[in-house]
């Protein structure tokens, strides 16, 4: 079907994932070859959203079921509303959905930790890596269009969701390292993260795309993607 569509001059859905300039329009040429980066980002965020609550969650204490149910209802409602009324069903909204569920995962982790009154089982190093990954991505997406969805959700919703996730991560870090320092299992959270960070920045510098046409911020966005992938490793150490 896509071959027939190209024969009639109709761009395939993948042409709409990312914007490479100031205007929201289909991508072509060398820009289209970089669309795999968007898929990597969406996959990384979705995997993080699926794994963080189970990987980082404490073993003692459970969040109130009403609070968990409310969080799911609110985020599923937001996702549906954004997809249908803001993105108007555009395929590129999958990237926004990914960061929404990442934010939901961090909210569930906060609910579980705060309700249990303990920081046991949570890796502060994993949270630190997640915060660094979000900062690297936001250094690009808050003022450049290269790695944003081309639909209307990329105007501000995408960035606002990442900012909310970052606020939750920082709040949880403060809770673990300050409020509940006594229950934080520091001796077990011992994985050296500096090699992971340096390796991510090196790979970002070597493998980044050029959708921003600014090598520094292209590399920072790519490094943020790699850091987000390895952020869960300290939890399993």
């Amino acid at each position: 079907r896509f071959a027939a569509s190209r024969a009639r001059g109709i761009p395939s859905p993948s042409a709409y994932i990312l914007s490479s300039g100031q205007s929201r329009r289909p991508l072509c040429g060398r820009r289209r070859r970089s669309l795999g980066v968007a898929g990597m980002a969406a996959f990384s965020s979705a995997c993080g959203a699926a794994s963080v609550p189970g990987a980082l969650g404490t073993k003692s204490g459970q969040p109130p079921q009403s609070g968990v149910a409310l969080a799911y209802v609110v985020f599923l409602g937001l996702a549906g509303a954004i997809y249908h009324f803001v993105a108007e069903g555009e395929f590129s909204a999958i990237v926004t959905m990914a960061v929404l569920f990442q934010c939901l995962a961090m909210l569930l982790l906060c609910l579980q930790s705060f309700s249990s009154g303990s920081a046991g089982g949570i890796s502060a190093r994993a949270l630190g890596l997640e915060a660094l990954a979000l900062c690297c991505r936001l250094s690009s997406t808050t003022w450049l269009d290269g790695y944003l969805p081309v639909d209307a959700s990329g105007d501000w919703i995408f960035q606002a969701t990442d900012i909310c996730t970052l606020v939750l991560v920082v709040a949880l870090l403060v809770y673990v390292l300050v409020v509940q320092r006594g229950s934080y299992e520091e001796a077990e959270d011992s994985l050296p993260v500096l090699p992971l960070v340096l390796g991510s920045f090196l790979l970002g510098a070597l493998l980044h795309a050029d959708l921003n046409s600014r090598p520094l911020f292209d590399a920072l966005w790519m490094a943020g993607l790699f850091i987000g992938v390895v952020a869960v490793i300290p939890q399993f150490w």
Side-chain angles (χ1 to χ4, degrees):
R1 291 197 301 272
F2 292 154
S5 297
R6 287 196 294 270
R8 296 195 299 270
I10 302 174
S12 67
S14 62
Y16 294 91
I17 295 180
L18 297 175
S19 61
S20 58
Q22 297 299 320
S23 60
R24 309 286 191 191
R25 59 169 66 93
L27 303 179
C28 59
R30 65 186 180 90
R31 298 296 189 190
R32 184 174 293 183
R33 292 196 296 271
S34 299
L35 290 178
V37 177
M40 292 170 61
F43 181 77
S44 173
S45 296
C47 287
S51 63
V52 166
L56 298 181
T58 58
K59 296 180 179 180
S60 61
Q62 294 294 328
Q65 294 303 312
S66 59
V68 173
L70 179 61
Y72 274 109
V73 169
V74 169
F75 271 82
L76 289 175
L78 278 175
I82 291 171
Y83 180 77
H84 289 289
F85 301 114
V86 178
E88 298 180 343
E90 291 286 345
F91 182 73
S92 60
I94 188 174
V95 185
T96 306
M97 299 300 103
V99 296
L100 271 174
F101 283 106
Q102 184 182 31
C103 186
L104 171 61
M106 197 55 60
L107 176 61
L108 293 176
L109 178 58
C110 288
L111 286 175
Q112 182 169 341
S113 181
F114 296 162
S115 64
S116 68
S118 171
I122 299 179
S123 170
R125 298 193 179 203
L127 293 174
L129 288 176
E130 191 65 44
L132 180 58
L134 289 165
C135 289
C136 287
R137 293 203 330 239
L138 286 168
S139 71
S140 170
T141 57
T142 50
W143 68 293
L144 295 169
D145 288 344
Y147 301 96
L148 293 175
V150 297
D151 59 79
S153 69
D155 292 340
W156 65 273
I157 294 176
F158 181 90
Q159 302 92 320
T161 304
D162 266 349
I163 291 173
C164 289
T165 306
L166 179 59
V167 170
L168 290 172
V169 173
V170 172
L172 191 55
L173 267 174
V174 172
Y175 183 78
V176 170
L177 297 177
V178 179
V179 179
Q180 291 292 335
R181 180 78 181 188
S183 60
Y184 168 48
E185 300 168 350
E186 185 173 3
E188 298 181 10
D189 190 17
S190 58
L191 176 70
V193 297
L194 183 60
L196 298 178
V197 173
L198 294 179
S200 296
F201 277 107
L202 178 60
L203 289 175
L206 295 176
L207 303 177
H208 68 82
D210 59 350
L211 299 184
N212 284 330
S213 297
R214 294 175 182 265
L216 173 60
F217 294 98
D218 285 318
L220 282 175
W221 188 92
M222 196 67 179
L225 175 62
F226 286 124
I227 294 172
V229 170
V230 302
V232 297
I233 294 180
Q235 189 63 48
F236 298 111
W237 182 252

